[in-house]
Amino acid sequence: MRRLRGAPFVQRIGFYLIAAWSAVTINFVLPRLMPGDPASAILFKMSELGPVSEQQEELVHRLFGGARGQSWWHEYVSYLNGIIHVDFGRSISFYPATVSSVVKSGFLWTLLLVGSATVIAFVIGTSLGVVAGWRPGRAVDSVGSLVSIFLHSVPYFWVALILAYVFSFTLGWFPLSGGADLGLVPGFTPEFLNSAVRHAMLPAATIVLTSVSGWMIHMRNMMASVVNEDYVLLAQAKGLPGHRVVFSYAARNAVLPSISGFAVSIGMVVGGSLLTEMVFNYPGLGSLLNQAIVNVDYPLMQGLFLIISLTVLAANFVVDSLYVLIDPRTREAS
Amino acid sequence: MKLTAALTGLVLLSGLTACSGGAGDTRAANTQPLTVAAYSQPTLQPNFNPFSVNALRGTIGLIYEQLFDFNTAHTGEFMPSLVTKYTWGTGGKAIDLALDNRAKWADGSALTADDVIFTFGYLKQHELLALPVDKVTRTADGVHVTFTKPAYAAIQDLGRTVIVPKKIWAGKDPDTDTNVQPMGSGPYSLGQVTGQQATFKARADYWKQQVPVPQITYVTTSSTNLLTQQLVRHEIDLAYAGIPDVKNQFVQRSPAQNHLWPIYASMKPLMLNLKRKPFDNVHVRKGIALAIDRQAVTDAYNPGVYQPVGPTGLYQGTWSSWIAPADRDPVKPDQAAALAELAQAGYKQQGGKLIGADGKQLKLRILTVSSFADGMAYTQELAGQLAALGIDAAVNGVPSAAYTGDEDKRDFDAIYGDAFTFGTNPYTFYNKMLSKKSKTNVVGWDDPATESALGALAQAAPDAQLAASKPLQQIMLTQLPVIPVAVKGTPYMYNTEHWTGWPSADDPYTTPDPGAISGVFAAKLFLSLKPA
């Protein structure tokens, strides 16, 4: 019986390995399907800012013109080899900086900003969903659902722009842009942390405002269907206190699909919220991804996509495994 | 309405522009640095290698110095930097450069001819030198440079050579070194770099003069919307970017302090694909050139930032002495003459459409970058005018990567997006545009007469350059390899709240550039400012 219990686990690991390989390969192919080449992209960017001398032009062509020189197969092999050795090469848009150092520079910003915003949105949204779904049709439900559907349909960057205009530009309560005040050296100093938190408020509010409604609607609908289940009726008939029926009986079951969804969105955190980061000029992975795409920076795109896909896989794996603890039925099935 | 106005920039989210500027405050109580919007990208990576294409701005001009430059914002007068004087010799195959003997590195040691000789050798060794330099030798007051062929036309590129200290650079690889602790001879030393800014601190012991601005901060601004707000609040002192409705959004917010100065340093032509029919026919090109109302094109977005240009492609405002009086003014739109030219190519108007001998309407798709709102507006106006003539003309707006991709594959009818920079003489300008060897000659102009005229201009002594440029001007006038439309203005925006003494149309002593174009321009700017 023990061996049988282990089998799904091994299967799952095999599945994740294959998924990882596919992700790695797609990451390699996708950037190369983009039109243009790095040398032209860099020269174009330079010429937008000012005249490009022949000297600079020759340098760019010498350094980056060869990006298409080798065969794809050759590049693929050296790419895989690089991944095994955790070496992603040098970024093109930030040449000669290495991809790892560039990714590292944005990772923590995004993880803290989008990560905390996602957790906050999940907790608030799910809690509201429990309240709204417990008594569908009541005032809380009608108003809450309406507002959240409205918020859900407003584009992300639009909320970001409005918040930036009202709270930064007009009222001046929050800084306009950036990750922290200029002149502060990143580190665990009170000044820096204070400044970083202030700078993160509006971007985080944008993410929370626009994603909280998704969690809420989802939870409300699950809750509304669960409250009519026999076991909830039974719990009520037994005369259990209301909060216990709501949380231990109804919500505990209703929240399961949300948790799977949460795993995916935690993984997506690393991808950053591209538009939010752009509106607030936030130095995270979303901004880096934008720069990589604009500059046709294959190595940086590969590095970023890899981080994103591996995080999604890792988060899924963790939740998949935890699910077994949360939901007893999955244990029985095996 | 304010909201609407402030949000106009949102469509430009990806159409970023960069800027530069800075404002510092010397008064002891106020330590606010001079802030320049120097980057349109959201994040930076430290890189102060002056030979790297991704060197952060300020590396050249603030930290390292170039030899000399010419003031292209005015009449191209000599601007000394490390070199105080140059003298041509042996028919342009040699030049004597007199070094400023006061020049010192930041560590106090003298910057000597040895460093200059080393730098040229180093550039050559690493294939970074695009000049026909043969030998560099020491002279009594500087260096003597010999060339493998007359180098008159390369004088500006020569002047923009960045000199680095021999003792430090001898062991460095210019391709991969990020040089995070730069030591140069310029007026500033590196303060700190974070992911979104680089700070430069004035050197107390700068060899040339007292440095008026104690601190300069170059920051990143990734959207024009954000940049507009920062400019209005004077959080940014200097910027250059295509802001929508810049006069109302910026200048009018505080007309006494907020200033806009467009500098016309390049020409943006309508480029027809000469390898594609019927644009290989000169009559078609002439017809199209005659149909364009250039004033209306330049007025399509931020009037005044672009200017109509005459048919030689040289800007009549700064190059008038080079152009024959009859050819200075921009071509006036003349529909009748345009139709007459097109008729010679077999195109006749039928029911408002220009139909060719093959029975098909003349079709023209103009390629441009969709994320630049200004470029799109100009191109749309152009296409509209040509459509009014009966051409099936429309804009093909694509992302920048696709733009360069299509351009490389020569897959376009026409392009309106590339610009060609005027140098100290018209050689670079015409060479990049028309030489068959030029990578930017994407229209496919291949003409022996042009090649020989370019060769002659490249080797012409300064007093013979005007005459040598005439054949090229004639080719532009009669053959229209590209159709000059407008000079592209770089809209420099600055405010005088913290600092005064900015260059302007009345006093164009330099281009207010943070080092994207020339370090000499940047140093001249920051050394000329005064506290308000």
Side-chain angles (χ1 to χ4, degrees), chain B residues 46-382:
Chain B
N47 179 352
F48 299 93
N49 171 353
F51 308 119
S52 164
V53 290
N54 289 316
L56 295 188
R57 301 197 196 298
T59 303
I60 302 173
L62 300 190
I63 292 178
Y64 293 100
E65 292 182 295
Q66 291 165 321
L67 294 173
F68 58 89
D69 210 327
F70 297 91
N71 184 6
T72 41
H74 192 215
T75 55
E77 65 272 20
F78 178 71
M79 293 173 80
S81 177
L82 291 172
V83 163
T84 54
K85 197 173 77 130
Y86 67 90
T87 321
W88 285 108
T90 49
K93 291 180 82 169
I95 195 170
D96 274 304
L97 304 175
L99 291 172
D100 196 321
N101 56 20
R102 296 171 296 166
K104 281 195 174 53
W105 297 110
D107 67 358
S109 62
L111 188 159
T112 65
D114 278 349
D115 292 309
V116 179
I117 294 167
F118 163 77
T119 303
F120 277 104
Y122 183 78
L123 290 173
K124 231 176 155 174
Q125 180 199 336
H126 292 282
E127 298 172 47
L128 292 167
L129 197 61
L131 297 162
V133 170
D134 183 26
K135 279 203 185 75
V136 187
T137 48
R138 173 190 278 277
T139 59
D141 64 348
V143 293
H144 177 79
V145 184
T146 58
F147 303 99
T148 52
K149 59 183 185 194
Y152 292 120
I155 182 79
Q156 195 166 26
D157 284 339
L158 177 73
R160 287 181 179 174
T161 304
V162 184
I163 303 304
V164 294
K166 178 182 178 180
K167 57 191 171 213
I168 291 175
W169 279 82
K172 279 179 183 272
D173 178 350
D175 286 349
T176 54
D177 201 304
T178 48
N179 193 32
V180 287
Q181 289 177 311
M183 199 280 283
S185 60
Y188 288 83
S189 59
L190 182 60
Q192 46 147 327
V193 206
T194 66
Q196 300 197 299
Q197 59 142 359
T199 303
F200 301 92
K201 291 199 167 3
R203 281 175 53 197
D205 56 346
Y206 178 53
W207 58 272
K208 198 183 279 178
Q209 66 168 88
Q210 169 109 33
V211 184
V213 185
Q215 189 183 323
I216 296 177
T217 305
Y218 282 9
V219 301
T220 59
T221 303
S222 61
S223 80
T224 42
N225 180 43
L226 176 65
L227 175 64
T228 313
Q229 300 181 3
Q230 290 175 319
L231 273 167
V232 168
R233 303 213 299 195
H234 293 181
E235 285 176 12
I236 299 272
D237 298 290
L238 172 65
Y240 56 97
I243 287 182
D245 193 17
V246 61
K247 286 195 174 133
N248 289 317
Q249 289 303 310
F250 171 65
V251 181
Q252 291 306 322
R253 294 290 185 96
S254 173
Q257 290 186 329
N258 294 359
H259 301 276
L260 165 74
W261 183 31
I263 289 194
Y264 305 112
S266 62
M267 194 276 287
K268 206 165 148 182
L270 175 65
M271 308 202 297
L272 299 171
N273 189 343
L274 306 178
K275 301 285 183 203
R276 208 173 256 193
K277 285 190 184 307
F279 311 115
D280 54 342
N281 186 327
V282 69
H283 295 297
V284 171
R285 303 201 292 273
K286 280 185 176 166
I288 290 174
L290 281 164
I292 299 170
D293 180 350
R294 290 165 178 76
Q295 189 68 51
V297 172
T298 57
D299 285 348
Y301 193 92
N302 281 342
V305 171
Y306 280 35
Q307 289 292 344
V309 70
T312 63
L314 296 169
Y315 179 44
Q316 62 281 3
T318 43
W319 293 87
S320 62
S321 60
W322 292 72
I323 318 168
D327 305 325
R328 278 179 202 159
D329 291 334
V331 176
K332 295 256 175 338
D334 184 342
Q335 260 206 337
L339 289 172
E341 283 292 345
L342 286 160
Q344 291 196 49
Y347 285 94
K348 305 235 161 58
Q349 263 192 338
Q350 291 171 17
K353 292 180 177 174
L354 269 176
I355 309 290
D358 58 356
K360 286 189 192 145
Q361 190 183 7
L362 178 52
K363 189 178 163 187
L364 182 65
R365 292 287 171 271
I366 310 175
L367 184 68
T368 196
V369 180
S370 54
S371 53
F372 299 139
D374 49 354
M376 280 297 279
Y378 296 125
T379 314
Q380 265 153 3
E381 172 64 28
L382 259 179

Side-chain angles (χ1 to χ4, degrees), chain A:
Chain A
M1 281 320 280
R2 228 156 239 254
R3 275 181 55 209
L4 266 179
R5 276 201 177 180
F9 209 72
V10 172
Q11 266 181 5
R12 207 171 280 159
I13 287 178
F15 166 78
Y16 277 98
L17 280 179
I18 291 173
W21 172 78
S22 325
V24 160
T25 303
I26 290 172
N27 290 346
F28 174 81
V29 175
L30 269 187
R32 284 170 175 74
L33 297 179
M34 281 175 59
D37 69 284
S40 317
I42 289 178
L43 285 172
F44 185 79
K45 187 179 73 166
M46 288 165 72
S47 67
E48 272 308 306
L49 298 176
V52 180
S53 74
E54 280 176 43
Q55 222 162 322
Q56 289 170 308
E57 211 169 285
E58 280 194 19
L59 176 64
V60 168
H61 277 283
R62 187 163 61 78
L63 287 176
F64 310 114
R68 283 253 166 111
Q70 295 171 323
S71 69
W72 278 31
W73 176 245
H74 188 273
E75 281 184 39
Y76 181 61
V77 171
S78 62
Y79 163 72
L80 286 183
N81 189 40
I83 288 179
I84 292 164
H85 296 95
V86 205
D87 170 16
F88 305 106
R90 291 178 194 276
S91 156
I92 288 172
S93 42
F94 296 106
Y95 191 90
T98 59
V99 168
S100 345
S101 71
V102 174
V103 171
K104 215 193 278 169
S105 74
F107 189 78
L108 209 56
W109 289 108
T110 294
L111 192 68
L112 292 180
L113 170 70
V114 194
S116 49
T118 306
V119 172
I120 293 171
F122 176 77
V123 171
I124 297 180
T126 308
S127 313
L128 287 176
V130 169
V131 178
W134 179 241
R135 295 260 185 271
R138 292 281 177 91
V140 182
D141 180 37
S142 320
V143 177
S145 299
L146 200 72
V147 169
S148 64
I149 285 172
F150 169 74
L151 279 177
H152 202 58
S153 59
V154 179
Y156 236 65
F157 67 94
W158 183 249
V159 174
L161 283 167
I162 303 252
L163 289 184
Y165 183 79
V166 174
F167 293 103
S168 306
F169 187 63
T170 310
L171 298 174
W173 292 355
F174 294 100
L176 267 180
S177 77
D181 277 332
L182 300 173
L184 289 177
V185 186
F188 286 98
T189 57
E191 295 84 23
F192 175 77
L193 292 177
N194 179 30
S195 170
V197 168
R198 272 170 40 80
H199 280 78
M201 290 288 197
L202 282 187
T206 307
I207 298 169
V208 170
L209 267 181
T210 46
S211 57
V212 79
S213 49
W215 296 118
M216 178 181 161
I217 295 167
H218 194 230
M219 189 62 192
R220 179 226 170 251
N221 292 343
M222 283 308 297
M223 201 60 189
S225 64
V226 165
V227 287
N228 295 322
E229 294 283 340
D230 292 345
Y231 61 84
V232 178
L233 276 178
L234 178 69
Q236 283 175 313
K238 280 203 290 190
L240 290 175
H243 63 89
R244 201 161 157 215
V245 181
V246 173
F247 292 106
S248 305
Y249 286 73
R252 187 175 170 189
N253 286 292
V255 83
L256 291 172
S258 286
I259 287 188
S260 320
F262 183 65
V264 175
S265 63
I266 274 292
M268 297 305 286
V269 160
V270 180
S273 293
L274 199 136
L275 287 171
T276 307
E277 288 195 5
M278 287 196 59
V279 169
F280 292 100
N281 205 31
Y282 205 78
L285 295 178
S287 296
L288 287 175
L289 186 58
N290 176 46
Q291 275 166 279
I293 291 169
V294 169
N295 295 306
V296 201
D297 185 345
Y298 304 137
L300 184 54
M301 276 187 263
Q302 282 163 2
L304 288 168
F305 288 157
L306 192 73
I307 287 283
I308 294 167
S309 35
L310 291 188
T311 318
V312 173
L313 285 176
N316 267 309
F317 182 72
V318 170
V319 171
D320 254 15
S321 313
L322 286 179
Y323 217 80
V324 178
L325 300 178
I326 303 167
D327 185 357
R329 283 171 301 183
T330 49
R331 273 176 299 200
E332 316 265 306
S334 69

